[in-house]
Structures are given as structure tokens and as C-alpha cells.
Amino acid sequence: MLRFVFGRLVAVVPVLFVVSCVVFLILRLAPGDPAAVIAGSSATTADIEQIRAKLGLDRSLPVQFGIWLGQVLQGDLGYSYFLNKPVAELIAQRLEPTASLAIGTIVLAVLIAVPLGALAAWRMGGWIDRALSAVSVAGFSIPVFVTGYVLIYLFSIQLDWLPVQGYRPLGGKDGLSGWARHLILPWAALSIIYVALIARITRAAVSEALTEDYIRTARAKGVSEQAVLVRHALRNAAVPIVTVIGIGIALLIGGVVVTETVFAIPGLGSLTVDVVLNRDFPVIQGLVMFFAISYVLINLLVDLSYLVLDPRIRY
Amino acid sequence: MIRRAFLSGAIALGLLALSQPDASAQAENRIFRFVPHANLAVLDPIWTTAYVTRNHGYMVYDTLFSEDAQGNVKPQMVDTYSVSADKKTWRFTLRSGLEFHDGKPVTSADVVASLKRWASRDAMGGVLSDFIDRYQATDARTFEIVLKEPTGILIDALGKASSNVPFIMPERIANTPGTEQIKEAIGSGPFIFKADEFKPGAKAVYERNPRYQSRNEPSSSMAGGRKINFDRVEWVIIRDPQTQFNALKAGEVDMVEQPAFEQYYTLTKTAGLKVIDFSPAGLQFIMRFNHLHPPFNNPKVRQAAMLAMGQQAYIATQVGVPELGRVCRSMYPCGTTYADENTGDFTGTPNIARAKALLAEAGYKGEPVVLMRPTDLASIAKIPLVARQQLEAAGFKVDFQQMDWASLVARRAKKDLPSAGGWNLFLTAWTAGDISNPLTMAMLNAKGDKGWFGWQDEPRIEKLKGEFARADSVEVKKKIASQIQAIAFETATHAPLGQYRQPAAVRDIIDGVLETPGVPVFWNITKK
Amino acid sequence: MNTFERLWANGAFRYGATVLALVLVMGVLAPFLGTVDPAVMDYNNINRAAGHTGSFTLVDGSQVAHAFWLGTDNFGRDLYSRVVYGARVSLLVALCTAFLALLAGGAVGMLAGYFRSADLVLMRLMDGLMAIPAILLAIALVAALGASITTVVVAIAIPEIPRVSRLVRSLVLTLREEPFVEAARALATPAPVILLRHILPNALAPLLVQGTFVAASAVLLEAILSFLGLGLPAEIPTWGNIMAEGRTQFSQYPGNVLYPALFLVPTVLALNLLGDGLRDVLDPKFSKR
């Protein structure tokens, strides 16, 4: 198994290389010049050229990529053109809000969707099942910002129960309650999609598991329905459920970008939009590397979880 | 049973967490929360001309002079000043007791270093540098500026509020080259920047500077005394206009610098909120021609385009609120010192017949003109649509290119043929303070290849600008400014497309917001 | 019963196909459905409520009596017209994206699945592409290429290609072991012919299913890009950019966001259900996603 993990970690390298090449090419070949943005509106062409030279943007593309690669291999992700901070520090600073949002969403979605899906499968054709089928597809058919605005309108403006926007860090002076209060609406808006997705797969997987022979055996043995559902059906349905959770996490960043914008959460999502629009190349390259590594690690975790969930799987 | 108890316990805990308000040790009316119009990314007001950084500068730094509400430049950090009989030596004495946030006193050496750095980046500072022979720090509180020849713009330049502002920094920081960003934000201003609480993209925090030496006079625009009524000012970055509005309504923030125009009417009608115009001179739209390439290398074609413009439509489309806009023919914004209604044939209303005649005279054969439009900058994204409509009505063929702002600024720096990656037209907006005199108005930089984007080569304008810098009375300056404007209209440097104000929105409990040339200042404001 | 009858018997497919057909018809017949030019701005009719009747000024200055069934937006443009015409572009973007993703993904998948040598390189490339968040790629591409229907389609399609290629590749890997493929190889049939004549028809059904899901997420992604300011410019109405423009006034005039949402959500729903139905009927084995 260690060889498996090691092999996967080593496979990160070509992935990272491809990722950084693709993004590098798109950015440098695209129109848009960070030097011009930095120079501002009162500048002249000479000013812009000066800034370009200072940033090393006047060198050829392979040279620029080589320099950046060399830096990265030494552990230096570079310096933001605009924000005057090391890229690594920027990412570290904005990681907590995004992680809070993302992890909270997935946890919330799983806690709601898995029981819902299992119940729907257990009572196939019952009202939970039919309600779920009807509503779940709608869940991932609504754009996140619409859900977000509607939630803000209802709960913040009309009812005044929850704050409109912002993020309170966990270690900050508002403590756990401040952190949670500011994240409830964003979690709700984002998790609707994942509840729908996960509930659907759970229902499908559990209903399939329930048709297996071992379920009949368990019932015949006198095992309670609850134990049948949880200990037998759900456990055997775990693999496809965890798979879709893994896919969901990978898709999460798209929803996070929008949610962070609507709720003014200063995370990696809103950072992404800003730096791409400004052409802050070092930060974009750093972000892309970060996302790529996260993606690979999450996939690895999902695959490793199969070992725990399904003893038949061996690496 | 146990499970049920656990469940109800969990719910109770959850509700408890929800009901707890955000704890805050300070009294609410001593904290002011402000939503700036853009993200505060860069902290060096000399390195960048970005307005939000300039506004940050006024929190943390102080200036030698400031302009009051009547437009007179008054001493701020300076105590007394005088000029020699031959008008070439200016002597300044700083007020006593001025200190930086790190406790060190403000000395002439700091001032000289700061001015040098500022002049290396600022347009007006650059013009000034040509006049300056040397700076001299005679003692800790006195310094001299010795000129090669007299100029009337020295005090104006030192007191201007338009970017870049000559903020005074400690010498060791000011010695950073102008092309690099400074690493610390230490000034002698009314607020101290809390670098440890700064979260780029989220929040910037300022604390009252208890050692700030305010002048003992009433406040008047940027000049005079500065009474600070808050212990803490937070700049909360919210990009989404709807979220800004919601936050203001919910009382989570106290002031939104530039609410979207679409929300104006709602803001005036919402209980608990009010609209405040702290920048009456406002802003102005312009359209800039590329003088290097056909067809706009022909002045007749430029004039044709200029005469096809109707300011009303720009205001109606981009601003949308009629009472916030005004037709103003003058290139210097109406309400500023040099505004002049003598604008030749240009009236601000479309004269299609004359435009078509001019095009025919110029031999325009329908060559497409590349008009650039930024899709992601909401404040100016709509005006190119109006431009296209009006240009086409006059007979122009428009090649409409839509791109994001970063692409646009890259493309407008290119001197290539429009069909090969260059451009013919772009539109933008300037705050009144930035274009209120011929030295700071970028469009009047007519140095040809070395000039502003558009690269007009008009030596007459440059010569008159030099005379303007040498003039020492306002009357003479006005005369010269008018002459420059006349030439600018004759040669169609650019087209002014309408003036407008963009009021801020505040909660009812906020009072005392000062009128300034566009800088939101946090002294004098009170919160109930 | 034949395939079509089986499909029609499936509730999800029925709903999906009906709604899509209706939206398609609405888009095609847009000029005849009581609409005016969706790009024309009339300053006298700003932010009218739904159901307002009045006169509308056209480009040439003439006035026409018009009922603003859904009101107007803050430019004075008729919201109903914009939503109806918006159907055209939203559907066009969805279909083109699906087509492009299927074409490119299918090609890559078939090459990777059939030729061992190509597999290694291509799949590493696809892995890398999948590791870049779709939204970041889309933003970068639109920022790079400028906003037009073509670039938005390309920007949304490219992130979908890896998943399609994976699907096709796994299909090809199983299919190439089938007897009829072996037979074709024995007869020295050239590889392209095998791929196109033998393998592709068997992969068509799951491809179609995947295509509907791609189309559904394309409509949503276009709305998100518009929300972030990177969608199609406003003269070309899409449901996404109507909502994006309306969001600054959401609490005052929620109609600007809710009316296009009223069309967008059922359409995306329909595409998803269409895919569900197709999958249930045509390929119950290949229940991916």
C-alpha cells in the first residue's frame, strides 16, 4: 500500500508540470499586461516598458517559465505583482475562509444527504423518496448566486437573523459563534447542490445494496431494520457515495468562487477572480499549483478511504 | 431516550451560538466601518495613482499643504513659509511637535526625501522638478526649495489632493526608489495603520493616533483642524454592490463610498439611510483618440467624431439618475478653477450634419475605427455602447472590440496599427481633481511619442503649459488655461462626454462628512 | 416497443424533452412572440413593474405601443423580450458546448483507449487539465480570448473535455476486447475505420447522456461567468447576463434576477432529467455521475 501511495504522490509531478504549463501559456499568450495595469491611467508607454523590464516580462517565454520553475523547485512561489506580498503568504492567509466554507459545506451536505438518501431508498416509493426525486434534481439546477441572494433577502434583510456578509476567523474575537453565524447562509447556499447530488447517489447505491442477498440473510437472522440499513446496506453503498463526494469536492471551487463573491468572504475563490483579472501572474501560478495539489491529495484520500470501506479492495 | 436528549441538547447549543451577538469591547459609536469603492491592495501612494491607495494615504500620512473649501491652498504641516524677492528661494518652517507613528519627530530631511520620491513619479511633480535647482534642509524644522526660475505652481503642487499626493514619510522609507513599493506604512497622519490586522481583500484597520497634532482651526475640506471622533476605523472590502447595500441596511457598515447608481433612488427612500455627496465636482467621462493612425490622425475626422457626441445620452446610460449628471462643455470640469465654456464648435449636443460634412471634407471612406470596451469595469462599461451608437449615426464605421480591463490597458499602450493590435478610440472617466488644470490633465500631455496614450504631438500646448507653470497669478493662469483649451478643442485632443457626481451612502446616525475633492476623510465625522 | 416508445414511457425523459422543445420553439419564434428588440434602451421606461403598458421608443425614434409583461430593467429594456431572446443564446451556448466537449473529448478518449502509446501522454494531459479548477480555466480563457459566443463556448467546453475523454476511454478499453472488434482487426481493417464504424456507434448512447449533463452545466457556468463580469456583453441577452445585470438591484427589483431564473432553472432541470431518462433507458449499466 505504501508503494501505492508513493506512486500516486510521485504522479503529482507530471500533473503539476502540465498544469503550470497550460496556465502559463494561456496567461502569457493572452492579451492583458500586468505592467500596464500597474502603471495606471496617467502613465505613458515608456513607464509601462520600465515596469515590464523590472518584472522580467520582456524576456522570452521559455526563459520566463524557466526562471519561475527554478524558483518553485527551490520552494519560492514568488511575489505578487500587485499586493507586495509573497504568494505563499497570500495563499496561507486566505486559506482558512475557503477551507471553512468548503469543508463545512461538504460536512453539512453529507450529514443531510446520506440519511435522506438512505431513508428514501429504504422506503422506495414512499413520500420521502418521491419528494427527494422531485426536488433533488432542482438542487443542482439553480445557480448558486440566485440561492445566495434569496437566502440573504429572507434571513438577513427580512428576518434579520443572520449577517449579510463577511467572515469572522475562528481564532478571532468573535470566536466560534461569530465564525459560525457568518457561514450559515453561505453553507446553506452551497450545500443545496451537494445535498442533491449526494442524496441521489446514496439513494441509488443503497437501493441497489438492499436488493442483495446478504440483506435478505440479515433480515432472516433477525437483525433490526436500523442495523440492516446502517451496518449492511450503507456500508456496502459507501464506495460510490464516497466517490461522488470526492468528485463534488473537486467541483466545489467553482461554487466557492461565486459564494465568496456574494457573501464577501475573503478566501481563495475571490482571490482567484481578482488576480486573473489583474493578470497577477505569480499569484495565479501559485494558486493553480495549490489547487492541483489539493485535487490530487483529495483523490488520493478518496481512494485510500476505499481500503477502509471495502475490505475487498487492495492496492 | 439518550439520543433524544443529546439531540435536544445539540439544538439548544446551536441556538445559543446563533443568539450570541458579536462581542466587541469598544463602544459602537467609536468604531466607523467604511466600504471603499475598490480593494485596497497597494499601500504605497507614490508607487500607484490608485484612488483607494491615495485615500489610505490621507489616513496614515500628512501633507505640507492642503486645499480648503474655497480652493485656497493652506499650510498643513507647514507653520510659516516665505519666498525670496527674486521668487527663486522658498523657505518653509514646519510646525513644532510633529511626530511619526514610531515616535520619531518629523524633520526636514524626511520632508526632502519624501518630496524627491514623490516628484520622481507624479506628473506635476515632474514638471516641478524641471524648475527645482535643489532642496536644502537648513535645520531640523526648516527647509528650502531653490528654483532655477520662478514658478507659480509650487504651492499648488504641494497641496493638491489628486494622485500622487506628496505625503510625508520617514526618510529611511522615502529613500526607497519610486519604482519599488515601500514595505511599511508609517506616517504622521491622524490614524495609525494596523499592519497586523490588515487582510488584503477583506479588511484594513486604522486606529486613532493619540499623538496627532491637529491644527487649531475649523476643518474646511482638506485643510484646517482634524478632529477625530473614532478610536478605530475599519475599511471593509465588499465587491458586490448588492451585498454593500444589504450590509449598510443591516448596520454592519456605516458608509459605502460608491454605491451603484442603480441603487440611488432606493437609498434616498430607505429609512435609516441617507445619501451624501462629499465630492461635488464629481467625475467626467472622456473619449480619447489615437492621433498616430488613420483616420484620427486627421484633425477634421477627430472633430467630426467630437461633434457627433451628445453628453445627455452618456449620463442617461451610465449614470441613469438625471440629477446626478450635468452637461459640461468645458474640458476642465465645471465648478473647478479653470472651467471655461468657450469650447468652439463643441456644444455637448450632437451636430450630426456638421459631423457628416467634416467627414466628407476629410475624405473619410468608411475605414473601420477600433473602439475598445472594458466589459468588467462596471463604472465605464456602458459608455462605449453610446459612443458606438452616436459615431455610427454620424457615418463612422465602428469595429467594436470588447475585452477585460487588463487587456484594454495593455492594448492602449500599443502604438501599432489599429488593425494589427492597436486601437483608435477608448473611453474612460476621471475625477474632477485629476483633470482640473492643464498640467495634471493626462489628455493634454501632447509630447508626441512620449505623450499620453493617443500620442498627440502639439508643441503649442506644451509651450503654453510651460508658461502656465511660470505664471504666478490666478488670472494669468486662467488666461493661459483657456488658451490651452482653445487649442485642445481646435485640434480635438479628446472629447469631454459629461460630468456626474457619485454620492456616498451613509447611515442616518452619521454626521459631519466633509466635502472634499473626492477624498473620503474620516475626521470631523460623528456617529450617534 | 422500439427505443423511442421506451424513452417516451420514461417520466424524466418526457418532462425533459417537452420542456426543451418548448424552450427551443420559444427561442426560434422569438421575434413573433410579442417582443421588441432586446438591446434597445428606452430611458423613459426604466424599472417598470411587470404588466406595465406604455409606449416604447425604437432605435429610429418611432414609438410603438407595448405591454411590458415582465417589466423593464434599469436600462429601459423590455425584460420579457430579453428573456425570450435569451433562450436562443443560452441554448446555443449549451448545445455548442456539449457538441464541442463530446467531439474533442470523444476524439481524445478514442485515441487514448485504442492506442497504448497515446494513452500515457493523453491521459497525463487530461489529468493535468482536470486538476485545474474549471472556473479558473474558464475565467482565464475568457479573459484571454475576449467575450464572444465562440470564446465562451470554448472556455466552458475545455474543462469538460477530460471527463468526457475518461468516459470514452473506458468504453473503448472494454469495447476493443469485444469479438467483433477482434474480428475487424483480424481482417486488417485500418484503425480509424474500426474506431468510427465499430466502436463509436456503441459508445454513442453514454456519450449522449454525458452530453446532456455537459449542456446543463454549460448553462449554469455561463450564468456564473456573467455573474463574475466575464460573460457575453449585455447587448446579446443570455439568462446569465440578465441575472448578472439585475443583481445590483436585487432587493429593490428582484424580478430582474427571478424572471430569467424562472426560465433557466426548468431548462437546466430539463437537460438533467433528459440525461437521466436517456441513461435509464439506453444504458442502465453505465450509471456514471
Side-chain angles (χ1 to χ4, degrees), chain C residues 35-50:
Chain C
T35 58
V36 291
D37 186 342
V40 172
M41 319 182 256
D42 182 356
Y43 314 120
N44 300 314
N45 278 310
I46 294 186
N47 282 326
R48 296 286 190 198

Side-chain angles (χ1 to χ4, degrees), chain B residues 284-406:
Chain B
Q284 189 194 81
F285 297 124
I286 62 132
M287 178 165 73
R288 175 69 165 174
F289 305 105
N290 187 344
H291 298 246
L292 275 186
H293 295 298
F296 290 118
N297 56 351
N298 183 336
K300 289 215 166 104
V301 179
R302 296 199 294 271
Q303 275 163 3
M306 201 165 71
L307 292 176
M309 295 293 111
Q311 294 190 351
Q312 225 13 71
Y314 286 97
I315 296 170
T317 310
Q318 183 72 53
V319 177
V321 180
E323 63 243 39
L324 291 180
R326 63 182 289 186
V327 169
C328 174
R329 309 203 298 254
S330 164
M331 283 180 179
Y332 311 111
C334 297
T336 62
T337 317
Y338 304 108
D340 182 357
E341 290 288 304
N342 293 319
T343 59
D345 282 338
F346 179 73
T347 57
T349 43
N351 188 342
I352 302 291
R354 184 113 170 75
K356 286 194 167 153
L358 277 168
L359 276 182
E361 266 176 56
Y364 175 69
K365 298 264 182 311
E367 303 88 287
V369 294
V370 174
L371 169 59
M372 301 195 287
R373 176 198 183 202
T375 48
D376 61 331
L377 213 52
S379 54
I380 52 173
K382 300 178 189 169
I383 44 180
L385 296 171
V386 182
R388 174 175 62 172
Q389 210 169 305
Q390 294 185 341
L391 287 169
E392 285 177 346
F396 281 94
K397 189 156 176 338
V398 176
D399 176 7
F400 203 53
Q401 296 280 328
Q402 319 206 46
M403 57 194 81
D404 68 337
W405 180 246

Side-chain angles (χ1 to χ4, degrees), chain A residues 105-298:
Chain A
T105 302
I106 291 288
V107 167
L108 189 64
V110 169
L111 285 178
I112 298 179
V114 171
L116 255 180
L119 275 172
W122 188 41
R123 292 264 171 266
M124 280 264 269
W127 67 271
I128 291 189
D129 184 23
R130 274 180 298 158
L132 191 67
S133 303
V135 172
S136 68
V137 188
F140 50 80
S141 303
I142 308 180
V144 177
F145 58 91
V146 174
T147 328
Y149 281 143
V150 171
L151 285 173
I152 293 179
Y153 184 71
L154 283 174
F155 292 100
S156 303
I157 306 289
Q158 295 296 92
L159 294 170
D160 203 10
W161 283 353
L162 292 164
V164 167
Q165 50 79 38
Y167 176 76
R168 297 286 176 270
L170 260 177
K173 57 178 167 61
D174 299 313
L176 189 66
S177 75
W179 175 80
R181 287 187 76 224
H182 280 86
L183 281 171
I184 291 180
L185 287 184
W187 281 336
L190 207 47
S191 61
I192 288 181
I193 305 173
Y194 294 97
V195 166
L197 259 170
I198 298 175
R200 258 161 72 93
I201 297 293
T202 308
R203 177 191 167 283
V206 169
S207 65
E208 211 183 290
L210 284 173
T211 60
E212 294 287 328
D213 288 343
Y214 56 80
I215 298 292
R216 213 152 25 115
T217 319
R219 283 186 179 138
K221 278 203 302 187
V223 176
S224 73
E225 270 305 293
Q226 218 154 9
V228 163
L229 196 56
V230 176
R231 249 191 296 145
H232 293 278
L234 207 52
R235 268 208 77 185
N236 283 281
V239 170
I241 297 177
V242 170
T243 309
V244 86
I245 293 177
I247 295 177
I249 297 180
L251 298 175
L252 197 51
I253 190 70
V256 162
V257 168
V258 178
T259 314
E260 287 185 8
T261 309
V262 171
F263 290 95
I265 296 175
L268 295 175
S270 46
L271 182 66
T272 305
V273 181
D274 284 345
V275 293
V276 172
L277 286 178
N278 277 334
R279 310 286 194 275
D280 197 342
F281 296 148
V283 182
I284 302 175
Q285 308 264 156
L287 273 174
V288 159
M289 299 270 279
F290 174 80
F291 289 136
I293 295 178
S294 314
Y295 174 78
V296 171
L297 284 176
I298 291 173

Side-chain angles (χ1 to χ4, degrees), chain B residues 240-242 245-246 260 262-263 266 313 316-317 373 375-376 382 385 388-389 400 402 404 407, chain C residues 41 43 46 59 74-75 143 146-147 227 229-230 233-235 245 247-253:
Chain B
D240 186 60
Q242 186 59 37
F245 176 84
N246 292 336
E262 291 89 340
Q263 291 164 344
T266 315
T317 310
R373 176 198 183 202
T375 48
D376 61 331
K382 300 178 189 169
L385 296 171
R388 174 175 62 172
Q389 210 169 305
F400 203 53
Q402 319 206 46
D404 68 337
S407 305
Chain C
M41 319 182 256
Y43 314 120
I46 294 186
V59 183
N74 67 299
F75 274 108
F227 176 81
L230 286 160
E235 311 82 75
E245 286 220 334
R247 63 189 244 243
T248 37
Q249 306 181 87
F250 179 71
S251 30
Q252 302 95 298
Y253 304 105

Side-chain angles (χ1 to χ4, degrees), chain C residues 101-102 104-114 161-175 199-200 203 206-207 288:
Chain C
L102 290 181
V108 170
M110 281 206 284
L111 288 173
Y114 201 74
I161 292 177
R163 224 185 320 269
V164 175
S165 71
R166 279 221 158 166
L167 173 66
V168 173
R169 175 180 170 275
S170 65
L171 284 171
V172 172
L173 283 177
T174 12
L175 283 171
I199 297 195
L200 183 58
L207 265 182
K288 291 265 170 79

